[in-house]
Amino acid sequence: MSKLEQYQKIVVSGFLYHQGKVLVIQRSLAETFLPGFFELPGGKVDFGEDPSDTLKREFREEVSLDVSVTGPYRTFSYVSDEGRRHTVEIVYFVRLDSNEITVRLSPAHTSYQWVNLEELDQLQASDEVKQNIRIGFENYRCDDRSDIDPEPSRPE
């Protein structure tokens, strides 16, 4: 396989916490990669785009929610497409910009759920997505004013 056949991409996803649960969205069955699987909202970073701006854009496009990005908590990579694509993913904590939650899905997704840790094992999601969610719950620190206002825990 030549270097020209291989490529890299950067993607971002966001952990949005609300009332003890995190938002996940189901990929359309028409998708070629992991059709029907649940994932955290997010997507591909366009050339020259800041990853935080990407995540805000993707939340608006995929679930019609405006969010603020509070910080990354995990980075990982994987190779797919028979060894042709190397993806680097950055997972962030996000918080809603308003107290109103009205999820409207894009055509690329068929449903959404709010899941807690106990429901995670039954969720049709990749092992990496489940790991992202587990780590998110482990590191999430809820602001005392509202559990809509997530902030990542800070290393001491």
Side-chain angles (χ1 to χ4, degrees):
M1 180 178 313
S2 76
K3 292 276 188 195
L4 294 176
E5 294 171 328
Q6 296 175 319
Y7 65 100
Q8 269 187 317
K9 73 176 193 174
I10 300 168
V11 297
V12 294
S13 59
F15 184 96
L16 177 61
Y17 180 94
H18 177 64
Q19 297 180 346
K21 298 186 175 195
V22 64
L23 178 64
V24 292
I25 53 180
Q26 188 176 32
R27 296 171 65 86
S28 164
L29 292 174
E31 293 289 325
T32 56
F33 184 67
L34 300 175
F37 275 57
F38 281 88
E39 62 187 358
L40 295 169
K44 182 178 177 281
V45 178
D46 291 335
F47 185 83
E49 187 177 32
D50 183 274
S52 292
D53 293 337
T54 300
L55 194 52
K56 292 175 193 177
R57 173 179 55 77
E58 290 288 345
F59 262 82
R60 281 190 303 274
E61 290 174 4
E62 293 183 345
V63 294
S64 299
L65 295 174
D66 290 320
V67 298
S68 295
V69 178
T70 62
Y73 70 88
R74 183 168 191 236
T75 303
F76 67 99
S77 68
Y78 56 92
V79 175
S80 60
D81 289 344
E82 300 175 351
R84 290 190 300 267
R85 178 173 65 193
H86 175 223
T87 302
V88 177
E89 184 162 346
I90 308 166
V91 189
Y92 291 86
F93 287 108
V94 299
R95 77 175 83 172
L96 288 171
D97 285 345
S98 75
N99 289 337
E100 184 177 325
I101 300 175
T102 304
V103 175
R104 286 185 301 278
L105 293 171
S106 73
H109 295 89
T110 57
S111 71
Y112 72 94
Q113 293 181 30
W114 293 92
V115 297
N116 61 30
L117 268 177
E118 292 76 32
E119 298 164 323
L120 189 57
D121 286 334
Q122 287 75 42
L123 190 69
Q124 183 180 1
S126 71
D127 290 341
E128 287 294 346
V129 167
K130 289 181 180 181
Q131 184 71 355
N132 292 342
I133 293 170
R134 281 188 190 94
I135 292 170
F137 275 114
E138 288 170 9
N139 291 289
Y140 175 80
R141 183 178 59 80
C142 185
D143 185 303
D144 291 336
R145 293 174 294 128
S146 164
D147 87 341
I148 292 178
D149 193 14
E151 292 185 17
S153 60
R154 304 282 185 235
E156 302 201 12

